[in-house]
Amino acid sequence: MLLSTAYLPPTAYIKAIVRGGGSVFIEACESFQKQSWRNRCRIYSGDGTMDLSIPVCSGPSKELITSVKIDYSQAWIRLHKRALDAAYRHSPFYDYYRDELFAILDSTPECLWDLNMALTGWLLENFGLPNLLKPTTVWEPCGEDDFRDGIHPKRPLPEPWMACGEYYQIFSSRHGFIDSLSCVDLLFHEGPNAISFLG
């Protein structure tokens, strides 16, 4: 299984990790791609879906994803925390996970890769999954079980099995159930039972 790095990735991403078992690689030898899950996530707000994006410092056009620096001159951490609080403060398990999540955001790692890997490791732990992710050491063209570009905010899910089973969402009475959100949506609503929706 081959995935790109992602910021608070969608449920399909974690489902791919579950399906990949102990053989999951995160692409470390690609260039940064804009408008992808690499630096953004999608949550469920009172007005519907909301995208949260991490600003990055522009570097060389072919800069490796592992070298892309986060732009902390913008107050994005404060904005993301406020958005998460507004969206999830009434969800059943938000208070249980909030402080740990915010501590990782507040650690302000220099590079996007380091933040994403820390957050993904934290997510796997809280879903009760082993963190067996490995970075790639060379770039290779598309192959089997390659979802580096398949799991993308502007494209439908590449495989039917990537859809998440329906679960309770705070704002579902307004907008119905919304799939393909950041996996924190599932975690905040289902807590320890969240893994049952990812098998």
Side-chain angles (χ1 to χ4, degrees), residues 93 97 126-127 167 186-187 189-198:
F93 294 94
Y97 298 109
N126 284 290
F127 279 112
Y167 56 91
L186 173 59
L187 191 63
H189 286 101
E190 292 292 334
N193 188 46
I195 188 62
S196 67
F197 294 86
L198 299 174

Side-chain angles (χ1 to χ4, degrees), residues 66-80:
T66 52
S67 301
V68 172
K69 292 182 172 52
I70 298 171
D71 183 358
Y72 288 105
S73 69
Q74 300 182 46
W76 68 269
I77 294 176
R78 180 170 50 86
L79 294 175
H80 287 206

Side-chain angles (χ1 to χ4, degrees), residues 20-192:
S23 181
V24 179
F25 288 89
I26 306 299
E27 183 59 75
C29 302
E30 67 177 359
S31 300
F32 174 69
Q33 295 181 32
K34 296 179 180 178
Q35 298 185 5
S36 70
W37 294 129
R38 290 161 181 83
N39 71 320
R40 72 178 57 214
C41 70
R42 183 165 293 151
I43 64 172
Y44 198 160
S45 75
D47 295 324
T49 59
M50 172 189 287
D51 284 2
L52 303 176
S53 162
I54 299 176
V56 296
C57 301
S58 58
S61 60
K62 299 293 184 183
E63 184 175 22
L64 281 180
I65 188 68
T66 52
S67 301
V68 172
K69 292 182 172 52
I70 298 171
D71 183 358
Y72 288 105
S73 69
Q74 300 182 46
W76 68 269
I77 294 176
R78 180 170 50 86
L79 294 175
H80 287 206
K81 287 162 124 183
R82 283 184 179 173
L84 289 164
D85 277 342
Y88 296 111
R89 67 177 170 252
H90 297 299
S91 63
F93 294 94
Y94 182 61
D95 288 341
Y96 181 79
Y97 298 109
R98 179 185 185 273
D99 290 346
E100 286 184 357
L101 171 58
F102 284 11
I104 296 172
L105 294 175
D106 288 334
S107 70
T108 61
E110 183 178 24
C111 293
L112 178 66
W113 172 272
D114 297 322
L115 176 62
N116 286 352
M117 292 303 279
L119 288 168
T120 303
W122 175 80
L123 287 165
L124 293 178
E125 178 184 342
N126 284 290
F127 279 112
L129 299 168
N131 185 356
L132 301 173
L133 305 181
K134 300 172 284 289
T136 59
T137 54
V138 293
W139 189 89
E140 294 185 7
C142 295
E144 190 175 342
D145 291 329
D146 181 351
F147 297 105
R148 289 175 291 186
D149 294 317
I151 301 174
H152 193 279
K154 296 182 181 290
R155 299 184 196 124
L157 293 175
E159 297 287 347
W161 57 260
M162 289 183 161
C164 187
E166 189 168 328
Y167 56 91
Y168 170 74
Q169 294 170 321
I170 289 290
F171 299 114
S172 59
S173 61
R174 296 187 203 177
H175 309 289
F177 176 75
I178 300 178
D179 194 8
S180 299
L181 298 173
S182 168
C183 58
V184 296
D185 184 85
L186 173 59
L187 191 63
F188 296 156
H189 286 101
E190 292 292 334

